[in-house]
Amino acid sequence: MDISSKPSIDEKALIQQAKDILESNTWEGRYTVPSSNLYPYQWNWDSGFVAMGFAHFDIPRAIKEMESLFEGQWESGMLPHIVFHSKKREGYFPGPLYWQSKNVPEASKKVDTSGITQPPVHGFILERLFNQYPNSQDVKDFIKAFYPKVLKLHKYYYEYRDPNKEGLAFIFHPWASGRDNSPLWDDLVKTIPIGPGDIPPYKRYDNLKADPSERPSDKDYDIYVYLMELGKKYNYDGRLIAKESPFVIQDTLFNAMLIRSNEALINLAEELHIDAKEIEEWNQQSKKTYEEKLWVDELGMYAPYDLQNNKHIKMREIGAFTAMYAGIPSAKRARKLRNYLETLADRDEGFRVMPSFDPDHWIFDPKKYWKGPVWPQMNWLLCQGFRRYGFHGTANRVKWDFLDLVDKLGFHEYFDPRREVADKLEHGYGGDHFSWTAAVVLDLISD
Ligand code: GLC
């Protein structure tokens, strides 16, 4: 896309709406919920993006967002995917009573949390705050004080989630990938035998608050509960869970975020005069293993690795592209990824980039959560990656496709990738008034 095909968007109006959303989704003045109705607590990687959004107009709130999130950090270093600052809310499953984090000796003493984690974006968010305010002593002090917490999180992944000591962290729940019902996990979770009485009765709310045809299926949810129960049985200790769980995955997106955040910590260490030798060693190994182990020639892209069955999950999906933001691919592989995306966008039926899953696969579903729609934070990650490799035309395409979608269809959670269909719709999918959609809009407009 050349700059002349930039859609006409009222940027000022979008910026104002984005700020209003972030402010109105902030509770108790210190943490932001992804969407009041659908996700009424603080979410891990959402809050990283939220801090990035606030940094454009309210840096104290950006700092507070990170601090309140890390109140949930466990003594082991694990940063949970949900932090339940408020216990009283009804209407979310699985809420604080379900997870029972207080029974886990190493869990946060300050606040109830979930027992699984999410993609580690916090290192590169810190780096962005620093780069945006290089002369602010407050920001510098914050980063200095906060740095050890992020380091502890990364150490946790290398100590607890890398049994072969190869530099890739595993996850033991689909939610930890950030891409809950991605088709990536379908075959694997089908092998999980759920018999009568294997999971406790539970009640979903997400499909009452958003259109059920845009949400994961009940079968998916049974699996999520099964894997949470397994987590509970072992106090959420990945090393023990991995011995029994069929779901032990070295994910593309998750590890790309770890590597990019390691890199950010290394860059910050230089600025702050901290010794980063250990992180440099981790990162060298992680990058090398990622490039050698996760690339699948027949796909022409990276794919997650199933550690229990010792094989790749061979599907084309969006996580593969985030390796570029971490600087992992060779120039040749980066070109392959770029070409794949450009070809999709140029096809006759035309896709908004970037669909979260392979539109040529029979499982592709343009409305259903992670089975096809365009996601805001993913477009942001791709945009950074394409810029890193100098593919500015492609980066702009990803950026303007997303901003145009928000402009036409609102600050939703995810969007239909079919160009012709999306052009006729009146709104996006899933939750509305969505925090990371607002954050990404603020950052991309100022990019
Ligand atoms: C969904 C998404 C996840 C996100 C959460 C809150 O579960 O899959 O990535 O963090 O919603 O927005």
Side-chain angles (χ1 to χ4, degrees), residues 352 408-409 416 418-427:
R352 295 256 185 190
K408 293 204 168 91
L409 304 178
D416 203 302
R418 295 164 299 175
R419 197 167 283 283
E420 279 188 10
V421 174
D423 285 349
K424 289 187 197 117
L425 289 172
E426 279 169 12
H427 55 76

Side-chain angles (χ1 to χ4, degrees), residues 167-193:
L168 295 180
F170 73 76
I171 51 171
F172 61 80
H173 197 289
W175 286 343
S177 73
R179 312 192 297 302
D180 309 14
N181 71 338
S182 168
L184 289 170
W185 324 131
D186 283 3
D187 277 351
L188 189 55
V189 299
K190 260 189 227 139
T191 64
I192 298 178

Side-chain angles (χ1 to χ4, degrees), residues 34-35 38-39 43-46 81 92 118-119 174-175 177-181 215 221 369-370 375 377 413 434 436:
S35 143
L38 205 52
Y39 306 105
W43 254 257
N44 176 327
W45 72 321
D46 295 61
H81 95 299
Y92 180 79
Q118 262 189 335
W175 286 343
S177 73
R179 312 192 297 302
D180 309 14
N181 71 338
R215 308 300 300 171
Y221 252 78
Y369 219 40
W370 284 100
W375 283 74
Q377 82 288 11
E413 187 179 7
F434 221 85
W436 66 14

Side-chain angles (χ1 to χ4, degrees), residues 65 84 127 130 143 152 157 258 359 393 422:
E65 188 68 28
F84 300 105
E127 186 188 21
F130 180 81
I143 288 173
K152 194 169 167 187
Y157 290 133
L258 180 59

Side-chain angles (χ1 to χ4, degrees), residues 400-411:
W400 291 116
D401 253 0
F402 167 69
L403 289 174
D404 192 37
L405 279 170
V406 178
D407 188 52
K408 293 204 168 91
L409 304 178
F411 283 75

